[in-house]
């Protein structure tokens, strides 16, 4: 079977499942709403970062992106649907690649639309407080956010393939990105900046003090995602459906 029909069938699964479309809508709604709220917050702090404030909605929004990546894969394991999928496409690597393309493209497109909408919504509230931002910094932050959403969705997709459970992925990944960095932050020193969320979110800061820059931080997040996908692919190829 050629790749194009496999890709088309995987895209139809996403477009026809309300839960998946609703999760993508949640990425847009949550991120934009929280960024808009941040735009009307206090800007008198000496450490005020207008770019981070404008795109701070990425932190709650990433939960919806993670849920999307996990649900795209976990839906296959409900009712043994994976057996039908692999019966139709015996080449497991081709099927998995098609699914990942759908996850990546969907998350990237929605992520880019979301980040630019969030930036505009927050800037309307920040007013003169955001005048110090250059066009390049705003474009870098918005594009970086879109890529970050895609990478986090792919990370969740890889882990769900490994665990064969969306619940296991969400119960592992969400506490990890919301709690671990803060719990071990002081004790681990600079190690936490190499965690997938901390590294990727350097992109939404106007300035940065750590080892990683905006693009190198995003590359670290990409490394985490690639590792999860490789392990997931190994599990998929080595285990019966």
């Amino acid at each position: 079977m050629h790749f194009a029909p496999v890709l088309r069938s995987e895209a139809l699964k996403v477009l026809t499942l309300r839960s998946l479309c609703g999760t993508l809508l949640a990425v847009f709604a949550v991120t934009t709403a929280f960024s808009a709220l941040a735009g009307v917050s206090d800007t008198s702090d000496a450490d005020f970062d207008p770019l981070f404030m404008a795109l701070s909605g990425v932190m709650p929004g990433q939960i919806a992106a993670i849920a999307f990546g996990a649900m795209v894969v976990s839906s296959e394991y409900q009712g043994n649907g994976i057996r039908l999928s692999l019966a139709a496409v015996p080449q497991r690597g081709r099927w998995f690649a098609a699914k990942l393309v759908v996850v990546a493209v969907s998350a990237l497109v929605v992520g880019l639309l979301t980040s630019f909408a969030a930036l505009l919504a927050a800037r309307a509230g920040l007013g003169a407080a955001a005048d110090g931002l250059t066009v390049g910094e705003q474009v870098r932050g918005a594009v970086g956010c879109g890529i970050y959403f895609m990478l986090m969705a792919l990370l969740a997709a890889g882990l769900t393939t490994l665990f064969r459970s969306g619940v296991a992925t969400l119960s592992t990944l969400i506490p990890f990105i919301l709690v671990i960095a803060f719990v071990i932050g002081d004790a681990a020193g600079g190690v936490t900046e190499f965690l997938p969320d901390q590294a990727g979110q350097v992109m939404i800061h106007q300035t940065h003090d750590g080892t990683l820059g905006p693009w190198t931080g995003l590359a670290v997040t990409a490394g985490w995602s690639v590792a999860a996908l490789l392990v997931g692919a190994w599990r998929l190829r080595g285990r019966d459906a």
Side-chain angles (χ1 to χ4, degrees):
M1 182 178 292
H2 295 292
F3 185 73
V6 180
L7 182 62
R8 189 180 305 114
S9 67
E10 293 302 320
L12 284 173
K13 291 179 184 178
V14 173
L15 294 175
T16 54
L17 284 176
R18 293 182 181 179
S19 58
L20 297 179
C21 293
T23 308
L24 289 174
L25 180 61
V27 173
F28 181 88
V30 171
T31 305
T32 305
F34 274 85
S35 288
L37 289 174
V40 296
S41 61
D42 183 23
T43 61
S44 61
D45 190 342
D47 297 326
F48 172 70
D49 185 331
L51 184 62
F52 176 75
M53 190 65 71
L55 294 173
S56 59
V58 69
M59 288 181 284
Q62 68 181 332
I63 298 175
I66 289 170
F68 170 72
M71 290 172 62
V72 169
V73 177
S74 66
S75 62
E76 296 284 352
Y77 293 101
Q78 297 176 0
N80 289 322
I82 185 70
R83 294 183 179 181
L84 296 176
S85 295
L86 295 181
V89 188
Q91 301 91 344
R92 296 189 178 196
R94 185 170 301 177
W95 172 80
F96 191 49
K99 186 168 287 292
L100 296 181
V101 169
V102 173
V103 172
V105 172
S106 301
L108 179 61
V109 171
V110 172
L112 290 173
L113 291 174
T114 297
S115 57
F116 278 103
L119 183 62
L120 291 174
R123 284 221 54 176
L126 289 171
D131 288 345
L133 288 173
T134 66
V135 174
E137 288 171 338
Q138 294 178 72
V139 172
R140 181 253 291 170
V143 172
C145 274
I147 298 173
Y148 177 74
F149 279 133
M150 177 190 71
L151 292 176
M152 295 305 284
L154 288 173
L155 175 62
L159 290 178
T160 304
T161 309
L162 172 64
F163 297 145
R164 300 168 65 93
S165 168
V167 173
T169 298
L170 296 178
S171 60
T172 300
L173 193 53
I174 291 179
F176 180 82
I177 66 173
L178 293 181
V179 178
I180 297 299
F182 300 100
V183 172
I184 70 172
D186 294 334
V191 174
T192 54
E193 68 176 309
F194 291 93
L195 296 177
D197 57 319
Q198 299 295 309
Q201 289 175 22
V202 175
M203 183 65 68
I204 64 176
H205 288 270
Q206 186 179 21
T207 59
H208 53 279
D209 300 324
T211 305
L212 300 175
W215 297 110
T216 53
L218 211 56
V220 170
T221 303
W224 281 88
S225 299
V226 169
L229 293 173
L230 289 176
V231 175
W234 168 78
R235 180 70 181 276
L236 178 67
R237 292 177 64 88
R239 178 167 175 170
D240 292 339

